[in-house]
């Protein structure tokens, strides 16, 4: 069987944000309905403590494929002019077991993460949400601007970061967007008071306060991925109608939710359910325009594999990528 290799530039071309948002709906339905097998992911610290290695496998009869995302994370790399994350996604044929594709994992991760937030906002945010606050100035901040503008009639984006120069640089990067005023702020509360609020930082302590949130806001928590780290304070969670990508992952990895539970501020019933359950109609979404909704994104393998499968289909249809006998 032929093996297709697709690099980062090609992956970005084949996975536009609007298409990836649609693919994320399929991925999250598969996650919540059990048509995707997602074993525990393997993550370990490198021997010298300089970074991490992770393998995240999954299997889907629906796609007739199985595979894994394999990535490294070296947090000191950006200071040396290198990417913090490097890796790829593999896809194997379900029937034969043959390796079908190797696809850049950095682009897949970046786009699908923001697309999942966009997908949740599409179903939870007020239809007339017009302001978007971005807390953070890195790669996820960039793609979250794109995702939020793809699903709501955003007229203003307000970017906050600890380094105002980086916030201003990100605003300048998106200055080409017609009809959208994009600017930096030194006041995190201003970004936190928008209709759409996205936290995309590496913070381990809260940088978003519940007191800042206005009635009708929709929050996307994206940056924290451990049981001891969080981007939002307890009040943010208490006053929000909370949705997650995976209940199992939430129990094991979400400090944003599990810390308020440990404080007895809420219990697990405060979580309405998984976003995939909302898509199938198993649970309800927003009740009114005054309610605050919140989506806690940890990321699941189904998102990577569904996105990779879509990229492979597009690559074959358009003759993009390098194909070799394997």
């Amino acid at each position: 069987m032929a093996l297709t290799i697709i690099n980062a530039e090609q992956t970005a071309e084949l996975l536009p944000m609007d298409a990836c948002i649609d693919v994320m709906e399929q991925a999250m339905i598969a996650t919540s309905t059990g048509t995707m097998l997602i074993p525990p992911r393997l993550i370990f610290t490198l021997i010298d403590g300089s970074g991490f290695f992770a393998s995240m496998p999954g299997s889907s009869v629906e796609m007739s494929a199985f595979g894994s995302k394999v990535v490294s994370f070296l947090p000191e790399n950006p200071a040396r002019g290198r990417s913090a994350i490097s890796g790829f996604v593999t896809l194997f044929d379900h029937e034969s077991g043959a390796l079908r594709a190797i696809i850049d994992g950095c682009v897949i991760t970046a786009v699908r993460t923001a697309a999942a937030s966009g997908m949740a906002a599409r179903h939870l945010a007020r239809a007339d949400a017009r302001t978007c606050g971005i807390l953070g100035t890195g790669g996820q901040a960039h793609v979250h601007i794109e995702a939020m503008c793809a699903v709501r009639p955003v007229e203003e984006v307000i970017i906050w970061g600890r380094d105002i120069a980086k916030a201003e640089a990100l605003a300048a990067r998106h200055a080409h967007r017609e009809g959208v005023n994009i600017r930096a702020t030194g006041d995190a509360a201003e970004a936190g008071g928008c209709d759409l609020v996205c936290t995309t930082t590496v913070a381990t302590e809260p940088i978003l306060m519940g007191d800042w949130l206005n009635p009708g806001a929709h929050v996307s928590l994206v940056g924290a991925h451990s049981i001891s780290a969080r981007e939002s304070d307890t009040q943010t969670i208490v006053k929000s109608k909370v949705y997650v990508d995976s209940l199992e992952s939430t129990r094991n990895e979400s400090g944003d939710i599990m810390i308020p539970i440990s404080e007895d501020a809420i219990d697990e019933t405060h979580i309405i359910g998984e976003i995939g359950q909302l898509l199938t109609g198993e649970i309800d979404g927003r009740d009114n325009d005054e309610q605050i909704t919140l989506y806690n994104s940890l990321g699941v393998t189904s998102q990577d594999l569904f996105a990779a499968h879509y990229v492979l289909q597009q690559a074959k249809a358009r003759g993009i990528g390098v194909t070799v006998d394997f």
Side-chain angles (χ1 to χ4, degrees):
M1 182 174 285
L3 165 66
T4 301
I5 302 171
I6 306 170
N7 67 24
E9 182 178 354
Q10 294 163 338
T11 302
E13 177 184 350
L14 296 168
L15 192 64
M17 183 61 69
D18 56 350
C20 193
I21 289 171
D22 292 337
V23 172
M24 289 304 98
E25 292 191 352
Q26 303 169 28
M28 299 318 298
I29 289 172
T31 300
S32 293
T33 58
T35 63
M36 179 100 190
L37 174 64
I38 307 175
R41 46 188 169 186
L42 169 67
I43 303 176
F44 68 84
T45 304
L46 301 182
I47 192 168
D48 60 356
S50 61
F52 303 88
F53 177 81
S55 177
M56 292 157 267
S59 173
S60 168
V61 174
E62 182 180 350
M63 291 190 298
S64 189
F66 59 90
S68 182
K69 182 169 75 172
V70 180
V71 294
S72 67
F73 175 60
L74 273 65
E76 299 301 320
N77 267 0
R80 301 178 179 126
R82 299 190 293 255
S83 173
I85 297 175
S86 181
F88 54 86
V89 179
T90 61
L91 288 177
F92 293 77
D93 182 74
H94 182 79
E95 182 177 350
S96 67
L99 180 61
R100 296 167 58 193
I102 299 174
I103 302 169
D104 179 80
C106 295
V107 173
I108 291 279
T109 301
V111 177
R112 65 82 162 157
T113 301
S117 294
M119 173 270 301
R122 172 191 281 173
H123 293 277
L124 291 172
R126 295 192 339 263
D128 65 346
R130 286 180 164 78
T131 60
C132 176
I134 302 288
L135 288 88
T137 58
Q140 276 304 313
H142 162 63
V143 285
H144 269 76
I145 294 173
E146 185 178 356
M148 294 300 120
C149 289
V151 298
R152 285 297 182 265
V154 174
E155 297 175 352
E156 184 173 45
V157 176
I158 302 173
I159 304 167
W160 172 84
R162 289 191 173 93
D163 185 338
I164 187 66
K166 290 182 179 179
E168 290 170 344
L170 181 58
R173 182 177 179 181
H174 285 267
H176 65 279
R177 293 187 178 276
E178 293 185 9
V180 184
N181 177 39
I182 302 180
R183 61 183 177 86
T185 182
D187 182 5
E190 187 179 15
C194 292
D195 299 332
L196 304 166
V197 181
C198 304
T199 62
T200 64
T201 73
V202 293
T204 58
E205 298 292 335
I207 47 87
L208 175 65
M209 306 302 163
D211 288 344
W212 302 344
L213 298 174
N214 287 319
H218 173 71
V219 180
S220 302
L221 299 180
V222 181
H225 297 91
S226 82
I227 202 72
S228 61
R230 58 176 173 168
E231 294 181 297
S232 64
D233 71 348
T234 295
Q235 186 62 20
T236 297
I237 303 300
V238 169
K239 68 193 300 183
S240 298
K241 192 171 184 180
V242 175
Y243 299 81
V244 300
D245 49 18
S246 162
L247 286 167
E248 181 179 3
S249 296
T250 297
R251 296 182 185 107
N252 295 326
E253 301 175 23
S254 177
D256 279 290
I257 294 173
M258 299 310 294
I259 291 174
I261 289 177
S262 72
E263 295 172 344
D264 293 326
I266 59 169
D267 60 29
E268 197 167 309
T269 62
H270 188 74
I271 304 170
I272 304 302
E274 296 178 344
I275 198 70
Q277 295 175 292
L278 175 65
L279 298 175
T280 61
E282 184 180 343
I283 59 176
D284 293 331
R286 171 180 291 276
D287 295 325
N288 56 69
D289 285 348
E290 298 298 303
Q291 195 168 59
I292 296 172
T293 54
L294 182 148
Y295 175 61
N296 185 200
S297 172
L298 294 169
V300 289
T301 303
S302 56
Q303 296 171 346
D304 298 305
L305 296 188
F306 269 76
H309 184 256
Y310 177 84
V311 168
L312 178 59
Q313 289 178 314
Q314 295 298 307
K316 289 182 175 179
R318 296 166 58 179
I320 295 176
V322 176
T323 300
V324 297
D325 291 330
F326 187 82

